[in-house]
Amino acid sequence: MHFRAFLLLLLLAGGLASAQQSSAPPVPDVPSAETADKRLILHLVARSDWAQQSMEIVKGLILFQGRLNNRPATILLDNGTERTVVDTGFTRQAGVPIGEAAGDTLTGTGRIATFRTGRTVLEVPHAFTMSGELASFDLSAMSHALGRQVDIVLGGDATSVMAVMLQPDRKQLTFVSSGSIKLDGPDVVRLPLLTGNLIDAAINGHKVGLLVDFGYSGAVRLSDTAWKQVMGESNVGVAGQNGITADGTVLRSRVAPGALSIGRISSEAAPIASGYVPVGASEGLLGTGFFLQGTTVVDGPARQVMLIVRR
């Protein structure tokens, strides 16, 4: 069953549809945020310069445009990747030196060895700038998997300190400070964002913690252990490709329908995929196949996800 069929509640048109909401969020007066890595400084733009960003959806993942040291760059949005990373080849082309090993970066399926860059300025015009040392690794596998050049992956170090809004019907992406987007009305579903960017869900009556991961192009994907708890030991489901992660991994798994409940959004036949091997405490991923069905706001500092749904 196509994923769209089970999320009939999610709004597919109209952007911020409620009459109680404006077409764009207010912009903060204090344009700055502190990342967890003190070597990175993020500044949101002033109110007079702010604008929403155009986004593309390519094979279920979100791309938008920015600049690295004033060089045009294509950026992949992936809050599930721990750090913002720059393609090694692109880094050299931009004249940024690559230094010592910076440890591993977590992705949706594992870890990748990274190297620290020299000082860089990543700018998304009319949204924010992030300056300091970034991580670098080879993104050619991601570019190959998408069929599009990916120069930068905007990771959780940036997205966790601001609010991010997706409006797929308008093909717009919004970056503002936490608390700047306020949605009210009966169409809005609020979900608590737990430690580790997890959302509580239930599948076939079993509770699972799902990692909010814009770098996963599918809807719901469980670890093998969680899959067995939810679906039982039988070899159910149809094998096939289920998604792409930010490191370019093409995911293949079994997919079977399950009774899914997240807040007051529910379905008796949601497509649930197997095979995710979590790094940490999550039992699975909740990806763009879920969030791109309607307007979504993920506000990390406020520990909240908001969705606009039909009454």
Side-chain angles (χ1 to χ4, degrees), residues 34-55:
E34 185 178 86
T35 66
D37 187 340
K38 299 300 187 292
R39 289 167 292 196
L40 290 174
I41 299 173
L42 187 143
H43 290 282
L44 297 165
V45 302
R47 182 186 301 272
S48 58
D49 294 329
W50 179 86
Q52 291 175 300
Q53 306 299 308
S54 296
M55 72 176 186

Side-chain angles (χ1 to χ4, degrees), residues 242-256:
N242 177 249
I244 301 171
T245 63
D247 57 4
T249 302
V250 177
L251 301 176
R252 300 186 182 278
S253 62
R254 304 193 70 81
V255 181

